[in-house]
Amino acid sequence: AVLGLSASKPTPAALRAVCRSHNQISSPGLVEIDHPPADQPAGQLVEEIAHRREVERALRDSMQLLRQREDELRRSERQAERLLKVTGAIAEAVTPEQVYEATVDHVATIVNASTAALWLMDGSVVRLVRSVGYSDATRRRLDGIELDGPDSFPVLEAIRRNTTIWIPSQAELVRQFPNIAPSVTPGRSYRIACLPGGSGGRAVGAIGVWIEAVGEPTESEREFLLLVARYASQAIERLRLLEAEQTSRARTEELYRFAQAVMGASQVDQVFDAAMNAIQTPLGADRVAVLSNGAHWVMRVRAWRNLS
């Protein structure tokens, strides 16, 4: 039997009633449904088709979720490989220069930074100890800046505040630091990350990275840079402790040799010579002299090296 449906939309209950009574439905503008199997009413076929579509949608959603998790896993693996590469280079470094190179050069390559640099505190002065992507003029301008001076730029502020500074665009850079606007090249697109490192609640330096992309850093990029800054500061602190220990040992050895020389000296000139050795070698002094207080409180030079 064939039933013609009107243009008005039938209710679901009415449609099921029709399906139970008829095996073919036709209407102008509708696609004709073929005969269902003899042992399967048309209503069950409609429900089965709807169920299959739901299953297909669920499968598509599951596949999409699986691909997202695979992408996250690959990103995590890449981040772990990058971090291992940097930390391995830092761990193998035995001199300050090697630590600086491992930190700055590797980070610049991994995050595709146009410029990257490392500043360290030297007393009250901030020194630029390593950089890539800077011109000679820029290096000179950014080196030897007084921490408490009038200058202000992102890395310097990161050290002063001992806090990480993220700047998503050139416009935001100029807004936060209007004093550097004249030196900014208009029209460039980049974001900046400045990460301090130190110990005892005080920053001893900072890493500055300029990445050629606008916007906030991705979560993986943020985690990577923070971990690198932590490892680099630990390595620098380790080298400083080692250097202090070596200096202390060298001075102790020089004092021991000086005491031996004094006890074995038969002339006063031998004492002067031993004293100049004890001072000049551990301190790396270019010029040294021994003076004595003579008669009438007159100071006289008794021994000297590299004096006119």
Side-chain angles (χ1 to χ4, degrees):
V2 177
L3 175 67
L5 297 179
S6 64
S8 61
K9 183 178 181 180
T11 65
L15 181 60
R16 284 194 293 271
V18 170
C19 291
R20 283 195 297 270
S21 304
H22 304 277
N23 55 20
Q24 192 176 45
I25 301 173
S26 65
S27 176
L30 296 179
V31 178
E32 183 176 288
I33 300 177
D34 295 332
H35 289 278
D39 59 345
Q40 184 177 18
Q44 292 183 9
L45 181 61
V46 171
E47 292 177 357
E48 183 178 345
I49 292 173
H51 176 68
R52 289 180 179 179
R53 288 177 178 174
E54 291 178 0
V55 172
E56 289 175 358
R57 282 195 297 268
L59 287 174
R60 284 196 299 268
D61 293 342
S62 298
M63 291 300 296
Q64 183 177 2
L65 181 60
L66 181 60
R67 285 193 292 268
Q68 289 176 352
R69 290 180 177 176
E70 289 177 348
D71 291 341
E72 292 174 359
L73 180 60
R74 282 193 291 268
R75 285 195 296 269
S76 298
E77 290 176 348
R78 286 195 298 268
Q79 180 176 344
E81 291 174 358
R82 295 186 304 176
L83 185 61
L84 183 61
K85 183 178 180 180
V86 176
T87 56
I90 292 175
E92 293 175 358
V94 295
T95 66
E97 290 72 20
Q98 290 174 342
V99 173
Y100 306 157
E101 181 180 354
T103 301
V104 176
D105 296 39
H106 281 70
V107 168
T109 301
I110 290 172
V111 301
N112 196 28
S114 58
T115 58
L118 173 65
W119 286 261
L120 292 178
M121 291 295 304
D122 182 11
S124 61
V125 178
V126 180
R127 295 289 184 187
L128 178 61
V129 297
R130 181 78 181 183
S131 67
V132 293
Y134 284 153
S135 64
D136 292 339
T138 301
R139 280 194 293 268
R140 288 192 295 268
R141 181 167 54 86
L142 297 178
D143 184 27
I145 299 176
E146 289 287 341
L147 185 64
D148 299 327
D151 296 292
S152 179
F153 60 97
V155 170
L156 192 61
E157 290 302 318
I159 297 174
R160 285 171 175 166
R161 305 174 196 171
N162 193 21
T163 186
T164 301
I165 294 179
W166 308 96
I167 300 178
S169 64
Q170 185 186 80
E172 182 63 18
L173 171 66
V174 173
R175 189 190 70 80
Q176 292 188 28
F177 300 91
N179 59 295
I180 67 175
S183 61
V184 170
T185 303
R188 289 187 60 193
S189 299
Y190 52 77
R191 60 174 175 261
I192 300 172
C194 301
L195 308 103
S199 61
R202 179 177 178 272
V204 298
I207 301 171
V209 181
W210 273 247
I211 300 173
E212 296 297 318
V214 175
E216 296 293 338
T218 63
E219 189 64 26
S220 61
E221 181 179 284
R222 187 187 296 264
E223 291 177 357
F224 171 74
L225 290 174
L226 288 172
L227 285 172
V228 168
R230 184 187 307 170
Y231 280 112
S233 62
Q234 291 174 353
I236 292 169
E237 183 65 18
R238 183 186 74 239
L239 289 175
R240 286 188 171 184
L241 292 175
L242 178 61
E243 183 180 2
E245 181 184 354
Q246 291 173 341
T247 300
S248 177
R249 184 183 299 119
R251 291 178 180 178
T252 301
E253 291 174 354
E254 285 296 333
L255 288 174
Y256 178 73
R257 283 193 288 268
F258 171 65
Q260 283 185 317
V262 169
M263 288 186 294
S266 59
Q267 297 179 359
V268 69
D269 289 342
Q270 294 174 334
V271 176
F272 293 158
D273 191 60
M276 289 189 293
N277 286 336
I279 293 172
Q280 189 174 18
T281 302
L283 297 182
D286 294 329
R287 295 177 294 173
V288 62
V290 177
L291 295 86
S292 65
N293 185 17
H296 307 292
W297 298 100
V298 176
M299 297 298 295
R300 296 191 180 278
V301 178
R302 301 294 300 277
W304 62 91
R305 291 177 183 170
N306 299 326
L307 294 182
S308 62

